[in-house]
Amino acid sequence: MSLPVSPRPPSWPRRRSLLASAAGAALLVGCSGGSGPGGADAGSQAADRARARAARDSQGLAERYAAVMAAHPGLVERLSPLRQEVVRHAEAFGAERGASSEASPSVSARAAGPGDGSGVVTGTGAVPGTEKEALAVLAGVERTLADRRAGALLEVPGELARLLASVAAAGAAHVYLLTQGGTEGRG
């Protein structure tokens, strides 16, 4: 007598994969700085440095967004939500509340001359003269920061690693929105 064959595939591979993933995640999160004497202090100092750097990076990125919005008012509606998210990231890393939340950075009085394409000079560097180029620069900075933060995950303790991972994922989403997400319906 044979047993009837179920049309559903067995669920055990999925459970096994889930368990393996959970075990890998637990090992990853469980790995933190040093286990010897002074290792905890060294790990704590490294985490503090990583947190301070991430806060500075997010503040600088928020300033870049503000500079682009000041130079290209047509992008304000599209970029404001992304910039607000970056400001929240800076605050989550410990930046002073409001330190990067001014509406726009100090933009120098020198704007690009007609046709020179150099854009506007700000405290964070030159803003490209076209919206497309400005979006590409923002996407490049977001991508660099997301990659740096993802690379730092193994060097910091669990809670900071989770925060870095979350912000890196948000940065990757911002890259998509800056490069692909706003092009639908445009011709």
Side-chain angles (χ1 to χ4, degrees), residues 4-133:
V5 177
S6 171
R8 274 186 12 192
S11 61
W12 59 266
R14 192 170 27 180
R15 286 185 195 138
R16 187 180 302 171
S17 298
L18 179 62
L19 289 174
S21 298
L27 287 173
L28 179 65
V29 171
C31 296
S32 61
S35 59
D41 289 339
S44 175
Q45 290 173 356
D48 290 345
R49 284 191 304 272
R51 185 180 295 275
R53 180 178 186 178
R56 282 191 311 273
D57 288 346
S58 290
Q59 286 174 317
L61 181 57
E63 291 170 5
R64 282 185 181 265
Y65 270 99
V68 169
M69 291 187 303
H72 300 288
L75 293 174
V76 169
E77 184 178 336
R78 181 176 179 184
L79 297 181
S80 287
L82 301 178
R83 183 179 180 283
Q84 289 169 358
E85 189 72 18
V86 169
V87 168
R88 284 191 293 274
H89 295 160
E91 291 170 357
F93 286 120
E96 255 181 57
R97 187 171 195 85
S100 57
S101 62
E102 294 85 34
S104 65
S106 58
V107 177
S108 80
R110 187 185 78 74
D116 74 359
S118 63
V120 175
V121 176
T122 68
T124 57
V127 174
T130 68
E131 288 182 359
K132 184 176 182 178
E133 291 170 339

